[in-house]
Amino acid sequence: MATRRAHQTRWTHRWAGRLMAAAFGLSVLSAAQASNAHPEPAQDIVAWIERLHEATRYRAYSGTFVVTRGSEITSARIAHVCDGRQQIERIETLDGPARVTWRRDDEVVTVVPDKQWAMRDRRELLRLFPGPVRVPGIEVAGFYRAEVRGSERLAGLDAWVVEFLPRDALRYGYRIWSEKRTGLVLKLQILGNDGHVLEQVAFTELQLDAPLRLDVLARQMEDMRGYRIERPTLLKTTPQAEGWRLKTEVPGFQPVACWARAEEPGRSRPPLQCVYSDGLASVSLFLSRADGAPVNRAQAGATHVLSQRIAGYTVTALGEVPQATLERFLEALERVR
């Protein structure tokens, strides 16, 4: 009898061990399969930017995100839909005075409900969250490199963490959380030259593949009944056509857009805005006839503002770049006629 019990015990232990081994093997296999379902993307920064850009195409999503700049924290709600050709999104601020910003491709409508006021504008979009805008003709890889830092879970979603590190001191770095399945940016941090976080924006709640329709959002965007609408006329131009040039280039930054506001009765010479980009960061130069004292310098999070007088004009440089970069722009800018 004792021999029989010993045999049964050995049999039980042997099969228990096999079951444990099988369970362990299945868990390893499941982990491997989950990893293979979302393999780590290539570390080429151009491929990364393309992945982040494509994440906003052919996709609808909605959610709430929070922007942190120093001690200032604001939140907003976003609804976005794109059919691969046209995109529409609605961004509603949740803190402070009520404001809704509509974007349809390069058309922007800002609505202030409390004042029953709206402004229709037309600008090319330059932004990084929740996906960068593709800027043709710029060699981003010459000024940034990408390094994957692993993966994390954010807003209930798995994301790759990647850093875009600058190759010089004229631009900031970026730490990005990219959702593994779609590539959408879930969180973005702008990093100072010493690696500390200057500001960040992150989803706290996000619904991917939300049941949104482009035609419904388009109708809502056009419904401005009871609103006073301003439609400033912006004329596309170039710095050279307006009598300006950069006598030396600021490395990596190329001109991407320039607008002059149309002449209006009672206004002096209209201001001019010219935008330069390195594919990630952008700098805007605002030029107007000098009147009053210019703002010399200011900073909010990663954004610097620097002003000075040049040839009878007040020139204000603004961008999410180090102050030294704005100084390079103002030193290089000259009036040619």
Side-chain angles (χ1 to χ4, degrees):
M1 180 67 70
T3 303
R4 182 178 179 183
R5 281 199 300 267
H7 176 74
Q8 289 177 335
T9 300
R10 286 195 299 271
W11 183 88
T12 301
H13 286 173
R14 184 164 59 249
W15 277 101
R18 289 177 180 176
L19 287 172
M20 291 177 64
F24 177 75
L26 286 173
S27 67
V28 171
L29 178 61
S30 297
Q33 288 174 337
S35 176
N36 290 334
H38 303 292
E40 182 176 306
Q43 295 193 18
D44 175 72
I45 190 167
V46 176
W48 266 107
I49 292 175
E50 184 66 18
R51 168 184 166 84
L52 301 179
H53 170 76
E54 287 296 312
T56 61
R57 304 184 67 199
Y58 305 103
R59 182 159 287 110
Y61 55 84
S62 63
T64 302
F65 62 88
V66 174
V67 181
T68 305
R69 294 187 181 94
S71 61
E72 179 187 357
I73 300 176
T74 59
S75 58
R77 184 180 295 115
I78 185 172
H80 170 103
V81 62
C82 183
D83 63 2
R85 296 171 300 166
Q86 184 183 73
Q87 65 175 324
I88 296 180
E89 67 182 23
R90 180 185 188 273
I91 300 176
E92 177 187 3
T93 59
L94 301 178
D95 306 290
R99 187 178 74 253
V100 177
T101 301
W102 290 91
R103 294 188 175 118
R104 177 166 52 197
D105 297 334
D106 64 350
E107 180 184 10
V108 179
V109 178
T110 304
V111 179
V112 182
D114 293 345
K115 297 183 178 180
Q116 291 289 286
W117 174 88
M119 175 179 284
R120 286 187 175 274
D121 210 340
R122 187 170 293 277
R123 301 287 176 90
E124 282 86 351
L125 300 179
L126 292 173
R127 63 178 188 181
L128 293 175
F129 183 91
V133 175
R134 185 189 291 117
V135 184
I138 294 181
E139 298 295 333
V140 180
F143 301 94
Y144 297 90
R145 70 181 192 278
E147 292 188 8
V148 178
R149 301 301 192 192
S151 63
E152 292 183 10
R153 189 163 173 80
L154 186 71
L157 299 166
D158 293 322
W160 294 114
V161 183
V162 60
E163 290 185 359
F164 295 165
L165 302 175
R167 298 184 184 274
D168 59 29
L170 293 177
R171 58 211 90 234
Y172 290 134
Y174 303 90
R175 184 179 295 128
I176 294 168
W177 283 253
S178 171
E179 202 271 326
K180 287 188 175 181
R181 180 174 65 88
T182 64
L184 191 72
V185 178
L186 303 180
K187 181 177 178 179
L188 168 73
Q189 293 179 337
I190 302 179
L191 309 176
N193 291 332
D194 59 357
H196 72 283
V197 179
L198 296 171
E199 66 179 69
Q200 74 173 23
V201 55
F203 279 110
T204 56
E205 173 270 326
L206 175 65
Q207 181 182 4
L208 292 171
D209 303 318
L212 299 172
R213 288 176 47 186
L214 193 144
D215 61 328
V216 173
L217 286 182
R219 284 197 300 270
Q220 294 174 356
M221 179 178 176
E222 294 299 327
D223 187 4
M224 294 293 162
R225 288 171 293 183
Y227 280 78
R228 178 173 58 89
I229 302 175
E230 290 189 21
R231 301 174 184 266
T233 303
L234 296 174
L235 305 177
K236 271 200 167 184
T237 184
T238 65
Q240 293 77 10
E242 301 299 322
W244 295 92
R245 72 164 185 169
L246 294 178
K247 55 191 174 187
T248 56
E249 290 186 355
V250 180
F253 288 90
Q254 300 294 325
V256 294
C258 193
W259 305 275
R261 189 177 296 274
E263 296 283 359
E264 298 177 15
R267 288 184 179 269
S268 59
R269 177 175 172 80
L272 180 71
Q273 179 186 1
C274 298
V275 181
Y276 298 79
S277 175
D278 66 1
L280 292 176
S282 63
V283 171
S284 288
L285 299 181
F286 299 89
L287 302 95
S288 60
R289 288 288 186 184
D291 55 349
V295 177
N296 288 324
R297 61 191 62 205
Q299 180 181 3
T303 301
H304 282 87
V305 182
L306 188 61
S307 298
Q308 72 178 49
R309 296 280 176 77
I310 300 176
Y313 285 75
T314 296
V315 182
T316 300
L318 178 150
E320 291 180 341
V321 293
Q323 182 177 296
T325 307
L326 301 184
E327 292 172 353
R328 291 279 291 266
F329 271 96
L330 295 181
E331 289 170 1
L333 187 66
E334 66 176 1
R335 184 77 176 159
V336 293
R337 62 172 172 81

